[in-house]
């Protein structure tokens, strides 16, 4: 499925900002569950309930995203239309309530994804769901790719996966977000992350430097003060290097789509990896922005991306099963 951008929506910035801000999001009725995390904290997961014998799709959202993000509601609306089952786990602190532990979430949070995916695998069996798929967007896409690569064959509890607009090279993306017009995106992120951090300091006084947090003006400084030390990294450089998904693309054994627009402001084209494992499809369309991919005439639609993802998931899982059956009977 080739992405052809609307002529009235030119350029990476417009293709990023307009879909997330001005295109009407479809209505989705979620059912929320709260799960206790292995460390005693909690996460909230929003579900849509499908029909028996249909697939289950889990979506991991992006930085400061949620089940209400434009891409979340667009995907889950398509899931509902097909009668599938859907789940959107909220990363720590992203469900509208501050989490309990002295941590948040990050781009390399593969351990967090591991227990969520394994618990959802049990749910798949309860639902009699035919297939189990995972999608990730932006930060969630990078974390999903990290889990896939680190888990290797153990990740084959999934039938297929998709990663959209993943910051595959965190250092390259971080540098891009710290310069020029892209500082607007950084400002938007910091506007919601700072209050969460101040609430975290009320829970755990002295967890990090309050004044340094308030003076942070880019993600490099924020990650150096908060993200890196709270999640086991030495500093921003260590975090951006070790958490980048580009290092593990050759280790993935699950059929996986990596979809990144070449004009994504968050990750310049020169940082996109050129090779990956045989099971990984690198799809780099010229246009689309960062998790944009709007379609149609004004005011635009959000349905191209969900259809692209579900088309890949269905096709790759079916071809994989056909190959396995041929090998078994051969």
């Amino acid at each position: 499925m080739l992405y052809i951008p609307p002529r009235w929506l030119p350029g990476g910035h417009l293709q990023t900002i307009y879909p997330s801000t001005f295109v009407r999001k479809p209505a989705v009725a979620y059912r929320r569950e709260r799960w206790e995390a292995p460390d005693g904290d909690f996460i909230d997961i929003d579900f849509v309930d499908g029909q028996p014998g249909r697939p289950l799709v889990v979506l991991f959202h992006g930085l400061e995203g949620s089940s209400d993000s434009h891409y979340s509601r667009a995907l889950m609306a398509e899931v509902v239309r097909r009668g599938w089952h859907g789940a959107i786990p909220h990363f720590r602190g992203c469900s509208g309530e501050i989490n309990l532990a002295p941590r948040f979430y990050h781009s390399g949070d593969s351990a967090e994804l591991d227990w969520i995916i394994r618990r959802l695998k049990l749910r798949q069996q309860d639902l009699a769901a035919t297939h189990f798929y995972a999608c990730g967007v932006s930060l969630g896409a990078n974390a999903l790719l990290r889990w896939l690569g680190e888990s290797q064959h153990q990740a084959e509890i999934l039938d297929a996966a998709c990663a959209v607009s993943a910051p595959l090279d965190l250092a390259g993306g971080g540098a891009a977000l710290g310069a020029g017009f892209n500082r607007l995106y950084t400002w938007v992120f910091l506007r919601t992350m700072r209050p969460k951090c101040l609430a975290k300091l009320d829970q755990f006084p002295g967890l990090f430097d309050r004044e340094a947090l308030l003076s942070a003006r880019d993600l490099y400084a924020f990650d150096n003060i908060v993200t890196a030390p709270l999640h086991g990294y030495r500093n921003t450089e260590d975090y951006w290097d070790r958490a980048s998904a580009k290092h593990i693309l050759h280790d993935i054994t699950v059929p996986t789509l990596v979809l990144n627009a070449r004009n994504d402001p968050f990750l310049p084209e020169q940082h996109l990896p050129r090779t990956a494992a045989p099971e990984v499809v690198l799809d780099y369309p010229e246009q689309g922005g960062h998790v944009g991919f709007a379609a149609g005439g004004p005011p635009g639609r959000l349905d191209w991306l969900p259809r692209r993802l579900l088309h890949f998931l269905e096709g790759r899982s079916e071809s994989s099963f056909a190959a396995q059956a041929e090998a078994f009977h051969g």
Side-chain angles (χ1 to χ4, degrees):
M1 296 176 61
L2 178 66
Y3 176 69
I4 301 175
R7 296 182 65 179
W8 55 272
L9 199 62
H13 292 302
L14 275 179
Q15 291 169 11
T16 298
I17 296 170
Y18 185 88
S20 66
T21 308
F22 299 107
V23 179
R24 184 176 181 179
K25 297 183 285 189
V28 179
Y30 291 116
R31 176 180 57 80
R32 178 162 291 191
E33 293 183 13
R34 177 161 291 187
W35 289 2
E36 183 176 352
D39 60 357
D41 202 352
F42 70 89
I43 64 165
D44 290 323
I45 302 187
D46 283 350
F47 288 91
V48 295
D49 298 316
Q51 301 169 13
R54 301 294 175 87
L56 167 63
V57 181
V58 57
L59 172 66
F60 295 98
H61 63 75
L63 182 64
E64 293 302 277
S66 72
S67 62
D68 190 50
S69 297
H70 68 290
Y71 51 82
S72 299
R73 282 171 54 175
L75 179 62
M76 288 299 133
E78 181 65 17
V79 165
V80 169
R81 190 187 71 81
R82 294 174 177 229
W84 292 15
H85 310 273
I88 303 182
H90 290 87
F91 289 120
R92 311 282 183 108
C94 289
S95 64
E97 183 177 339
I98 195 68
N99 63 305
L100 304 177
R103 57 154 295 170
F104 289 111
Y105 62 102
H106 61 94
S107 292
D109 220 350
S110 54
E112 184 86 332
L113 267 66
D114 186 71
W115 76 269
I116 295 172
I117 290 172
R118 294 186 181 283
R119 182 161 172 178
L120 285 171
K121 181 66 177 179
L122 299 177
R123 181 66 58 89
Q124 177 203 359
Q125 298 167 3
D126 295 338
L127 296 171
T130 54
H131 300 86
F132 185 22
Y133 303 129
C135 296
V137 169
S138 196
L139 177 147
N142 190 91
L144 176 59
L145 291 171
R146 289 293 322 181
W147 177 81
L148 288 166
E150 293 171 15
S151 302
Q152 298 186 17
H153 290 292
Q154 293 181 14
E156 292 168 13
I157 58 175
L158 292 177
D159 296 307
C162 293
V164 180
S165 301
L168 303 160
D169 182 330
L170 289 170
L177 286 173
F181 181 85
N182 284 358
R183 293 176 182 173
L184 170 66
Y185 304 118
T186 299
W187 178 81
V188 171
F189 289 136
L190 291 176
R191 184 181 61 177
T192 58
M193 292 193 294
R194 278 202 194 95
K196 291 180 183 179
C197 290
L198 294 175
K200 189 61 62 180
L201 282 175
D202 289 339
Q203 291 176 313
F204 300 96
L207 185 63
F208 44 81
D209 190 320
R210 177 189 177 94
E211 295 307 315
L213 166 70
L214 294 175
S215 65
R217 293 294 178 267
D218 55 32
L219 293 181
Y220 179 93
F222 180 87
D223 286 343
N224 220 31
I225 298 159
V226 179
T227 313
L230 259 59
H231 303 107
Y233 299 97
R234 294 191 305 274
N235 51 34
T236 296
E237 287 87 353
D238 184 44
Y239 166 47
W240 284 0
D241 178 50
R242 288 169 52 200
S244 290
K246 67 177 183 178
H247 300 307
I248 48 75
L249 292 180
H250 287 274
D251 299 323
I252 294 174
T253 65
V254 172
T256 300
L257 172 68
V258 177
L259 178 66
N260 281 66
R262 295 178 185 269
N263 70 344
D264 184 341
F266 288 34
L267 187 68
E269 179 181 357
Q270 65 265 27
H271 298 297
L272 294 174
R274 301 301 171 186
T275 62
E279 290 293 336
V280 177
V281 175
L282 300 177
D283 186 359
Y284 300 152
E286 292 294 330
Q287 306 282 319
H290 186 77
V291 204
F293 302 104
R301 305 189 313 271
L302 299 173
D303 57 351
W304 182 88
L305 182 58
R307 291 191 304 200
R308 172 71 178 102
L309 301 183
L310 299 189
H311 176 78
F312 174 86
L313 294 172
E314 285 185 303
R316 288 310 296 262
S317 61
E318 289 172 3
S319 63
S320 177
F321 291 142
Q324 291 175 16
E326 182 178 351
F328 178 79
H329 294 294

